[in-house]
């Protein structure tokens, strides 16, 4: 009886075609190959197997394949045997193979007959189509368990034994040279990555060198090498699943300011001669650097950079009083830093996400008037460490010099002179002259960087009936200074709201004030015709940032020094070159920002900058660091020998008014100006006078400079003579030409000589004599040689004529309860030459009038200019312990020609009023007690009792105030505390 062992897979597909028949490799029945193994001898006592009754279909033998050699009778569990006398077919479609029938051993070849049977090679096993057509019983198909599929790493044409080993392909190796093979070294799958310093638990800062590799062989080796700028500085080997190596912060010692990389090379333990290529990471710069780079600094514009440490600051000492910090000294011998030469990195500066610490640094180039070629310099840093553990890796580290390019620029100029004419370079597109024939307060110029705002006031100067600048106000930060001729009626007064820290005021010669900032802004103010009007010159460093968007928050703000051809779509200039009336209101000062009224230009307030020169450190020497305001500025105008520092009079700002009051100015109405003028001056005479004055009273180098068109200045001068009818404006034309000449010569590098040390030597062009010697003398070696009939330092005093004291700035009456500066009156003088002394004769008051004069005494004085002089009239420590005091002030000139004296009264306005006749009256709203003045409501505690000044109750004594009582008790006898 035939046994079929296995699982029958039946696929019934109704109406299917042959092409739809299932693949026999996956649809077969199984037969036990062990029971019919060719070596098994048939036991006669047992029933024989027979394959004749097999269900038609495909079959697979389990554990064996069909025997492929003669099998003798009485084997395989049957009397007769069937074997395949053919080759195993290749993998693919089924093919017919010769099956031999060895019936009872009747054929010596074991193939009494044969049959073609379909056989299919399924790769690792064979399937056969049974039953055989000519099989008889007892007859069985024999198997051979030695016929097996080729093992892993072996092959044969059929996939079955006999098999041969597979040699290693190119690029693979094994000890035998045959499969299994592997790469000669472990593979690195991705790029090697070097990360920035990270803080690890208990290990401080370290950097990770990471990579991936799928090779987890126990003998895989990953050799990590650390390099600085390509030179190895350390290594380590990773095994197993380790894929990250670490470089600690301390390992940077000796390598600061270099680039770290890590590289990985792989091998196997027993084949270290076979190594992989070197896989190199990204580089990481560890040290100090500067951004941006390349670094360019424009002269006149401070440049903000960031100094960056790409390594954290880490100290390993706890409990110390010394703060943990890395001090970095800036080395910039040809540059200037703002605020100092040292920066300090602390642990808290470290940004873990960006792997860096950033500190701001502001740099500036030397600012001078010379227009020169762009240059190159360097910037470097040196570390200064405390003896703290963890900082030793920074010891004596110097950053390699960083190249810095310096771009030279020209100063921006705006000059207004005469009635007034403007010439400016703030807007190079408007290079021609224009005029301001309007009255009021105007924005002159501003620069957000300082920040600085300049305003002017124009009035009609009555001797000429022309508009002139009569006052100028400058705000630098929160500080304001005003130079005012009080509408052209007196010599200039210089007042400020606080002691200057953001700017400096100088008095140069006898008629020029100079205001300059630490950033290089300079304003020169010449007061003309005994100070009744001002000529103004602005010199600003390049890179001006206008205040247009700050003052009003709109575009309705314009500056008379920065005009364009159109303003808000309208033509800016009229037919006479004047700023047109249809746009002039855009140039006026906003009442809310009027400096003349104590208002504030709402700029961003910044403290005045201090610039430092930072040379290299010398071992064993004290650091030679120089820091001061204005250090970066090399302006020869500031260093003129005729200039000395001047302290403005400090006054409180006028009280705020809401709405702010605005001075009412009548609009200027020009008059007809025919030739000859009312003084008989013809056009020919005016032109000759102007030319002669310009050529004779300016520096000798100026007349020969072809780039300066002298005819422009002569033309302005002639226009002013015609308009004014006299020669009062000639000096303005001379000063304007001299100023333009100085600007041009100082900006021309060919005008300088170079010293042996490479320094530029200043040309002798600056006006060294005061006031151009009033155009009445020659300037010889910085000294005025006055013409006949004239004397003093600027030749402004007529020889042999008496001087005059025409008034006192602020008036001849001074209320010391309001003013803190009543005892240094500023006298307005005329024709006053060299002096010997100032004499004061005091007189106290009795019954509202000055009494008999007291003994005169000599006091100190200071000469501010040709027209102003102040005397210090203080004489006793308790000078303020009086109600009123009269002073007769007399001046003693060196010459025998004397002049007039002037009377000046100082009084306490709390309890009295004084008039222009020097008569004083008691006030009804104050108390006069024991010779002292008290305001109404002033209180005094005597023991437990409270006294008050109540003028309604008692003008001459205190009133006792009872706590909670509604009655007052008068007392004229109260013991005052001693003073």
């Amino acid at each position: 009886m035939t046994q079929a062992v296995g699982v029958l897979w039946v696929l019934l597909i109704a109406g299917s075609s042959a092409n739809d028949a299932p693949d026999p490799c996956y649809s077969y029945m199984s037969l036990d190959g062990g029971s019919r193994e060719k070596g098994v001898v048939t036991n006669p006592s047992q029933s024989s197997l027979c394959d004749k009754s097999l269900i038609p279909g495909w079959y697979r033998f389990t554990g064996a394949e069909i025997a492929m050699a003669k099998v003798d009778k009485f084997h395989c569990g049957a009397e007769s045997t069937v074997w395949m006398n053919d080759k195993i077919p290749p993998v693919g479609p089924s093919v017919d193979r010769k099956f031999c029938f060895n019936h009872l051993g009747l054929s010596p070849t074991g193939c009494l007959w044969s049959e073609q049977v379909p056989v299919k090679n399924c790769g690792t096993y064979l399937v056969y189509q049974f039953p055989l057509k000519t099989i008889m019983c007892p007859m069985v198909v024999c198997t051979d368990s030695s016929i097996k599929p080729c093992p892993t790493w072996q092959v044969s044409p059929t996939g079955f034994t006999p098999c041969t080993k597979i040699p290693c392909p190119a690029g693979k190796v094994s000890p035998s040279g045959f499969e299994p093979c592997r790469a000669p070294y472990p593979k690195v799958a991705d790029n090697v990555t070097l990360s920035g310093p990270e803080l690890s638990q208990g290990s401080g800062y370290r950097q990770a060198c990471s990579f991936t590799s799928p090779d987890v062989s126990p003998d895989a080796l990953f050799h990590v090498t650390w390099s600085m700028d390509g030179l190895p500085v350390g290594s380590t080997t990773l095994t197993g699943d380790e894929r990250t190596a670490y470089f600690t912060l301390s390992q940077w010692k000796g390598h600061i300011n270099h680039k770290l990389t890590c590289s990985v090379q792989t091998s196997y333990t027993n084949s270290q001669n076979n190594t992989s290529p070197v896989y190199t990471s990204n580089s990481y710069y560890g040290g100090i650097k500067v951004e941006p780079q390349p670094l360019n600094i424009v002269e006149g514009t401070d440049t903000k950079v960031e100094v960056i440490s790409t390594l954290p600051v880490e100290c390993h000492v706890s409990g110390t009083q010394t703060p943990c910090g890395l001090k970095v000294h800036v080395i910039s011998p040809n540059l200037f830093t703002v605020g100092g030469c040292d920066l300090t990195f602390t642990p808290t500066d470290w940004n873990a996400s960006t792997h860096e610490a950033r500190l701001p640094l502001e740099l500036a180039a030397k600012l001078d008037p010379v227009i020169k070629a762009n240059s190159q310099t360097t910037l470097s840093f040196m570390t200064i460490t405390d003896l703290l553990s963890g900082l030793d890796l920074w010891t004596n580290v110097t950053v390699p010099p960083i190249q810095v390019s310096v771009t030279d620029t020209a100063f921006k100029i705006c000059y207004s002179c005469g009635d007034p004419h403007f010439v400016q370079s703030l807007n190079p597109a408007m290079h021609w002259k224009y005029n301001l024939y309007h009255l009021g307060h105007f924005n002159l110029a501003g620069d957000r960087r300082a920040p600085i705002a300049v305003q002017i006031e124009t009035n009609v100067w009555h001797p000429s009936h022309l508009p002139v600048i009569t006052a100028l106000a400058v705000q630098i930060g929160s500080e304001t200074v005003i130079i005012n001729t009080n509408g052209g009626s007196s010599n200039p007064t210089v007042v400020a709201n606080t002691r200057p820290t953001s700017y400096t005021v100088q008095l140069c010669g006898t008629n020029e004030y100079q205001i300059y900032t630490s950033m290089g802004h300079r304003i020169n103010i010449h007061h003309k015709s005994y100070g009744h009007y001002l000529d103004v010159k602005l010199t600003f460093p390049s890179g001006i940032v206008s205040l247009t968007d700050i003052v009003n928050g709109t575009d309705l703000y314009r500056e008379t020094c920065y005009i364009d051809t159109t303003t808000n779509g309208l033509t800016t200039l009229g037919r006479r070159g004047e700023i047109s009336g249809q746009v002039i209101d855009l140039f006026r000062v906003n009442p809310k920002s009027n400096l003349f009224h104590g208002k504030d230009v709402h700029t961003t307030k910044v403290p005045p900058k201090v610039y430092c020169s930072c040379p290299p450190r010398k071992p064993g020497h004290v650091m030679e660091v120089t820091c001061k305001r204005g250090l970066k500025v090399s302006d020869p105008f500031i260093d003129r020998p005729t200039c000395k520092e001047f302290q403005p009079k400090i006054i409180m700002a006028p009280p705020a008014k809401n709405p702010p009051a605005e001075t009412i100015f009548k609009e200027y109405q020009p008059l007809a100006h025919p030739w000859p003028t009312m003084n008989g001056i013809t056009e020919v005479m005016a032109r000759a006078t102007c030319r002669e004055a310009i050529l004779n009273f300016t520096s000798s180098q100026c007349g020969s400079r072809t780039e300066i068109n002298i005819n422009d200045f002569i033309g302005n001068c002639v226009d002013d003579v015609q308009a004014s009818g006299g020669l009062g404006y000639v000096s303005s034309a001379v000063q304007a030409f001299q100023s333009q000449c100085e600007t041009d010569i100082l900006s021309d590098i060919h005008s300088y000589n170079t010293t042996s040390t490479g320094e530029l030597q200043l040309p002798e062009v600056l006006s060294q004599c005061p006031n151009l010697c009033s155009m009445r003398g020659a300037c010889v070696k910085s000294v005025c040689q006055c013409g006949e009939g004239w004397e003093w330092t600027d030749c402004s005093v007529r020889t042999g004529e008496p001087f005059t004291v025409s008034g006192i700035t602020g008036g001849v009456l001074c209320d010391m309860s309001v003013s803190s500066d009543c005892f240094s009156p500023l006298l307005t003088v005329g024709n006053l030459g060299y002096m010997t002394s100032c004499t004061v004769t005091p007189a106290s008051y009795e019954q509202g009038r000055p009494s008999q004069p007291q003994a005169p005494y000599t006091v100190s004085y200071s000469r501010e200019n040709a027209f102003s002089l102040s005397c210090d009239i203080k004489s006793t420590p308790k000078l303020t312990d009086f109600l009123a005091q009269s002073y007769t002030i007399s001046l003693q000139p060196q010459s025998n020609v004397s002049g007039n004296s002037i009377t000046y009264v100082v009084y306490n306005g709390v309890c009295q009023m004084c008039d222009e006749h020097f008569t004083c009256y008691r006030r009804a709203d104050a108390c006069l007690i024991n010779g002292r003045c008290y305001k109404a409501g002033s209180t005094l505690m005597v023991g437990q009792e409270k006294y008050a000044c109540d003028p309604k109750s008692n003008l001459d004594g205190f009133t006792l105030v009872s706590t909670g009582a509604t009655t007052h008790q008068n007392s004229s006898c109260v013991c005052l505390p001693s003073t």
Side-chain angles (χ1 to χ4, degrees):
M1 178 177 181
T2 302
Q3 289 182 332
V5 181
V7 179
L8 176 62
W9 298 85
V10 181
L11 180 63
L12 298 175
I13 303 176
S16 63
S17 64
N19 291 334
D20 294 329
D23 186 345
C25 288
Y26 305 102
S27 180
Y28 57 81
M29 291 169 281
S30 296
L31 297 173
D32 181 21
S35 60
R36 56 182 71 217
E37 173 65 30
K38 69 177 182 178
V40 177
V41 179
T42 302
N43 186 346
S45 63
Q46 294 179 350
S47 59
S48 297
L49 298 176
C50 184
D51 289 337
K52 182 176 182 180
S53 61
L54 292 176
I55 299 172
W58 289 89
Y59 287 83
R60 173 187 174 184
F61 296 110
T62 60
E65 297 295 347
I66 190 170
M68 298 179 65
K70 173 186 173 183
V71 182
D72 292 335
K73 64 181 179 178
F74 298 110
H75 281 76
C76 307
E79 296 178 4
S80 298
T81 62
V82 181
W83 55 282
M84 188 171 74
N85 188 13
D86 214 332
K87 296 178 180 180
I88 295 176
V91 175
S94 63
V95 294
D96 290 342
R97 285 294 184 256
K98 180 180 178 181
F99 277 50
C100 287
F101 294 84
N102 185 9
H103 181 56
L104 299 177
L106 298 178
S107 171
T109 61
C111 194
L112 185 61
W113 73 87
S114 65
E115 181 182 326
Q116 295 293 315
V117 178
V119 179
K120 184 173 183 180
N121 187 343
C122 294
T124 57
Y125 57 91
L126 303 177
V127 291
Y128 314 87
Q129 194 172 41
F130 293 153
L132 302 178
K133 297 176 182 179
T134 58
I135 194 169
M136 300 184 300
C137 285
M139 185 176 285
V140 71
V141 179
C142 295
T143 61
D144 184 352
S145 61
S146 67
I147 301 176
K148 296 181 178 297
C150 288
T152 305
W153 312 122
Q154 294 186 27
V155 294
S156 72
T158 62
F160 290 84
T161 54
C163 304
T164 58
K165 294 181 178 181
I166 304 173
C168 290
K172 296 291 184 77
V173 296
S174 72
S176 64
F178 294 95
E179 294 283 8
C181 306
R182 64 181 178 180
Y185 42 78
K187 294 291 186 181
V188 173
D190 298 320
N191 294 332
V192 179
T193 302
L194 176 62
S195 62
E198 302 282 356
L199 186 61
S200 62
Q201 187 68 30
S203 301
Y205 283 95
R206 62 185 185 179
Q207 290 178 258
C209 178
S210 304
F211 59 93
T212 59
S213 174
D215 197 323
V216 292
S217 304
D219 62 341
L221 303 176
F222 301 92
H223 310 283
V224 179
T225 301
W226 303 100
S227 299
M228 291 288 179
D229 294 336
L231 299 177
V233 295
S235 63
T236 186
T237 299
L238 305 180
T239 60
D241 59 355
E242 295 178 303
R243 297 295 183 267
T244 303
Y246 296 99
F247 191 86
T248 64
L249 187 62
S250 61
Q251 288 178 272
W252 276 97
K253 186 174 183 179
H255 306 297
I256 302 291
N257 299 321
H258 292 277
K259 289 183 179 180
L260 172 69
T261 56
C262 65
S263 57
V264 178
Q265 193 171 32
T266 66
S267 67
Y268 291 107
T269 301
N270 296 323
S271 59
Q272 295 193 34
N273 290 331
N274 291 327
T275 57
S276 71
V278 177
Y279 303 94
T280 303
S281 72
N282 55 294
S283 64
Y284 187 91
Y285 176 83
I288 307 295
K289 63 180 182 178
V290 173
E291 288 183 357
Q293 286 198 39
L295 182 54
N296 179 58
I297 297 178
V298 178
E299 179 184 345
T301 302
D302 297 348
T303 301
K304 293 181 179 180
V305 302
E306 287 187 298
V307 182
I308 304 167
S309 174
T310 57
L311 296 176
V313 172
E314 185 178 46
C315 298
H316 300 152
V317 179
S318 60
T320 178
Q321 297 298 318
T322 303
C324 179
L326 172 66
K327 185 179 291 185
V328 178
H329 175 70
V330 183
I331 304 174
S332 59
N334 297 316
L335 297 172
F336 300 93
T337 62
V338 177
C341 293
D342 293 333
L343 304 171
T344 300
F345 287 98
T346 66
T348 57
D349 293 323
W350 183 254
N351 188 321
S353 61
T354 61
H355 301 111
E356 61 188 17
R358 289 176 174 257
L359 295 179
L361 176 66
E362 200 165 359
L363 298 171
K366 180 180 179 181
L367 180 62
D368 58 35
V370 188
I371 299 177
K372 51 192 177 296
N374 296 341
S375 59
Q376 294 287 323
T377 187
T378 59
L379 173 69
S380 187
F381 303 90
M382 173 181 281
T383 59
I384 308 170
T385 57
D386 294 316
L387 298 177
L388 294 177
S389 176
L391 292 180
D392 51 343
L393 66 102
W394 293 96
T395 303
N396 296 328
V397 171
T398 300
V399 178
I402 300 167
Q403 292 297 314
V404 181
S405 60
V406 179
T407 301
D408 189 76
T409 59
F411 279 102
K412 299 298 184 180
I413 307 294
C414 179
Y415 194 95
S416 66
C417 63
D419 58 346
H421 310 299
F422 280 83
V423 176
Q424 57 82 36
S425 63
L426 276 65
N427 181 7
M430 295 290 290
H431 55 82
W432 51 84
K433 180 197 76 171
Y434 55 96
N435 308 303
L436 179 62
Y437 291 155
H438 299 274
L439 306 180
H441 293 141
F442 298 95
N443 303 303
L444 189 64
D447 190 350
R448 192 183 307 179
R449 298 172 301 171
I452 184 172
V454 186
Q455 299 173 358
I456 56 173
E457 176 185 291
T458 59
N459 272 296
V460 172
W461 185 35
H462 291 289
S464 67
H465 301 284
L466 296 177
V468 291
I469 296 176
T470 55
L472 175 134
V474 182
Q475 178 182 314
I476 303 100
S478 59
E479 302 174 7
T480 300
V481 59
I482 298 175
I483 299 178
N484 197 343
T485 68
N486 300 298
S489 61
S490 68
N491 292 322
T493 57
V494 184
V495 297
N497 65 344
T498 184
R499 186 174 180 84
T501 61
S502 301
Y503 66 96
T504 301
V505 180
Q506 290 179 322
L507 177 63
C508 302
T510 60
N511 74 324
E512 178 188 1
Y513 291 100
Q514 182 165 266
I515 303 171
Y516 63 89
T517 73
S518 61
M519 294 184 65
H521 303 80
R522 174 167 43 83
I523 306 171
N524 296 86
I525 306 100
H526 291 87
H527 50 89
K528 297 294 185 179
S529 297
Y530 289 86
H532 292 178
Y533 72 94
L534 306 176
D535 286 345
V536 179
K537 179 182 180 182
L538 302 183
T539 303
F540 280 11
S542 181
I544 297 169
V545 183
S546 173
L547 301 180
T548 298
D549 298 327
I550 292 181
V551 177
N552 296 326
T554 70
D555 266 345
L556 302 179
Y557 169 87
R558 293 291 186 271
E559 297 168 345
T560 53
C561 273
Y562 199 110
I563 69 168
D564 210 335
T565 53
T566 61
T567 304
N568 277 23
L570 301 173
T571 302
T572 303
L573 300 181
R575 58 182 180 83
R576 296 177 297 165
E578 79 283 2
I579 298 179
S580 170
Q582 61 182 351
V583 300
I584 191 60
D585 287 342
L586 301 178
F587 295 85
R588 294 188 185 276
V589 173
N590 187 322
K592 296 180 181 179
S593 305
N594 194 319
L595 301 177
F596 296 103
H597 293 163
K599 301 302 179 181
D600 178 70
V601 177
H602 303 294
T603 61
T604 302
K605 303 302 187 291
V606 294
K609 291 185 177 181
V610 174
Y611 295 91
C612 299
S613 174
C614 305
R617 287 178 63 92
K618 296 180 180 179
H621 290 74
V622 177
M623 179 67 68
E624 298 178 358
V625 172
T626 302
C627 294
K628 66 178 183 179
R629 292 189 296 118
L631 183 63
K632 75 167 184 176
V633 181
S634 178
D635 189 346
F637 281 88
I638 296 173
D639 300 325
R640 286 177 290 170
T642 55
C643 296
K644 60 182 179 180
E645 189 167 345
F646 177 87
Q647 288 298 332
K649 182 179 180 180
I650 308 302
I651 64 169
M652 298 298 293
K657 300 178 182 179
N658 191 18
E662 178 63 81
T663 303
I664 304 300
F665 295 91
K666 293 182 179 180
E667 189 56 57
Y668 169 68
Q669 298 295 329
L671 303 176
H673 304 294
W675 292 109
T677 68
M678 65 183 69
N679 294 323
I681 302 173
T682 66
E683 182 177 2
V684 173
M685 292 168 58
R687 191 169 299 279
T689 301
C690 291
R691 176 179 290 276
E692 181 180 0
I694 289 175
L695 293 178
N696 289 347
F697 299 109
T698 56
S699 301
S700 57
Q701 304 101 305
C702 296
S704 60
R705 295 194 69 84
T706 57
E707 65 270 25
I708 305 176
N709 189 350
I710 190 174
N711 291 325
D712 287 346
F713 294 88
I714 294 173
N716 289 342
C717 178
V718 171
D719 290 344
D720 288 344
V721 171
Q722 181 186 20
S724 66
L727 303 177
Y729 289 103
V730 174
S731 62
S732 288
V734 175
Q735 190 67 59
F737 183 76
Q738 172 71 23
S739 177
Q740 183 64 51
C741 172
E742 291 170 344
T743 299
D744 286 7
I745 290 179
L746 292 177
S747 65
D748 185 359
I749 195 170
H750 299 98
S751 301
Y752 292 74
N753 293 322
T754 304
T755 65
S756 58
T757 59
E759 297 292 325
L760 295 178
Q761 192 173 40
L762 191 68
E764 295 183 359
V765 63
L766 293 181
S767 177
Q768 302 297 325
C769 288
N771 197 21
L772 296 176
C773 298
S774 302
M775 298 194 302
R776 299 186 182 103
C779 185
V780 180
K781 295 183 178 180
S782 301
V783 177
C784 284
Q785 301 292 333
C786 300
E788 185 177 355
W790 299 94
E791 60 182 57
W792 201 53
T793 57
D794 67 349
C795 305
S796 62
V797 176
R798 288 185 180 273
T799 304
E801 294 190 7
F803 67 85
T804 59
V805 181
S806 58
I808 295 178
T809 300
V812 294
L813 300 174
C814 187
D815 181 357
M816 60 184 176
S817 69
V818 175
S819 174
S820 61
D821 195 23
C822 283
F823 302 100
S824 297
L826 184 64
L827 280 61
T828 301
V829 298
N831 206 56
L832 179 63
Y834 296 101
M835 282 183 52
T836 58
S837 64
C838 177
T839 301
V840 177
T841 304
S844 59
Y845 265 65
E846 294 180 2
Q847 297 181 353
R849 294 293 300 170
S851 63
Q852 290 296 321
Q854 303 171 15
Y857 54 90
T858 301
V859 299
S860 61
Y861 67 91
S862 66
R863 188 74 176 269
E864 293 194 358
N865 52 53
F867 321 112
S868 301
L869 177 143
S870 63
C871 292
D872 185 358
I873 64 175
K874 289 183 180 179
S875 61
T876 62
K878 294 186 178 180
L879 187 62
T880 59
D881 290 349
F882 58 77
L883 298 179
Q885 186 94 344
S886 170
Y887 300 92
T888 300
I889 304 174
S890 303
L891 307 178
Q892 283 71 46
Q894 287 184 356
S895 66
N896 295 325
V897 181
S898 62
N900 63 306
S901 61
I902 192 167
T903 300
Y904 179 62
V905 173
V906 179
Y907 67 98
N908 190 333
V910 172
C911 55
Q912 64 183 336
M913 297 179 292
C914 298
D915 61 21
E916 67 273 13
H917 302 295
F918 308 120
T919 301
C920 297
Y921 309 90
R922 284 282 302 274
R923 298 177 64 100
D925 57 354
C927 302
L928 178 59
I929 306 171
N930 297 334
R932 294 186 183 181
C933 293
Y934 295 90
K935 293 182 178 180
S938 299
T939 60
L940 179 69
M941 296 296 298
V942 179
Q944 299 299 317
E945 297 177 325
K946 181 179 181 181
Y947 293 86
C949 167
D950 184 2
K952 294 181 179 180
S953 299
N954 190 351
L955 286 171
D956 301 312
F958 283 108
T959 299
L960 176 63
V961 180
S962 298
T963 304
T966 58
T967 61
H968 301 278
Q969 180 180 346
N970 294 335
S971 174
S972 60
C973 182
V974 175
C975 295
L976 301 177
S978 60
T979 56

